[in-house]
Amino acid sequence: MFKISYYNQKVKNEIEKFPAGIKKRYFELTGRMIEHGPFLGAPHTKPFGGGLFEIRTKAKEGIGRVFYCTVIEENIVILHAFIKKTQKTPKKDLNMAKKRLKEVKNAHKQK
C-alpha cells in the first residue's frame, strides 16, 4: 500500500480547485497509485527524468497535470498541480516541480 502526501497545503488546494471532471480523474488515478504503485504507465503517468513524474488527467473541462516524486518506496509526494492551457508543459510549472523535487530529495537525505 502506498501513501500520497503533498508538498504543502497550497498544492492540495490547487487540486481541490480543479474542475469536477479533472479532479475526479485525479482521485481515480491516485487511488490506483495507492493500490498498485506510483507508475501506472501511459497515458496515465509519464516520467520526466531525475525522479520527477507527471499524472496526466483529462476530462471534458480540459487537462490537468500533477507532478510528483517518490521519496521512500511507499510515499508518493505531490509536488505541483496546474490546469494545462497549451500543448507543451509551461516552463514555469516544470521549473517549480523540479525545484520542489530537489527540496524534497535534500530533506530526505538529511534524515
Side-chain angles (χ1 to χ4, degrees), residues 15-57:
I15 292 166
E16 287 298 325
K17 288 190 263 178
F18 276 4
I22 296 173
K23 185 166 51 173
K24 180 179 184 272
R25 187 74 182 130
Y26 166 79
F27 285 115
E28 287 170 359
L29 292 174
T30 52
R32 278 195 201 166
M33 291 167 76
I34 288 168
E35 212 171 301
H36 302 290
F39 314 113
L40 301 177
H44 311 298
T45 60
K46 176 184 172 184
F48 263 75
L52 183 65
F53 298 88
E54 175 184 65
I55 299 171
R56 303 162 64 87
T57 61

Side-chain angles (χ1 to χ4, degrees), residues 4 7-9 18 33 37 45 51 56 60 64 75 94 96 102 109-111:
I4 302 280
Y7 176 80
N8 60 23
Q9 188 62 42
F18 276 4
M33 291 167 76
T45 60
R56 303 162 64 87
K60 68 179 190 296
N75 192 22
L94 184 56
M96 173 67 75
K102 194 173 179 180
K109 281 181 193 172
Q110 293 174 0
K111 287 184 179 180

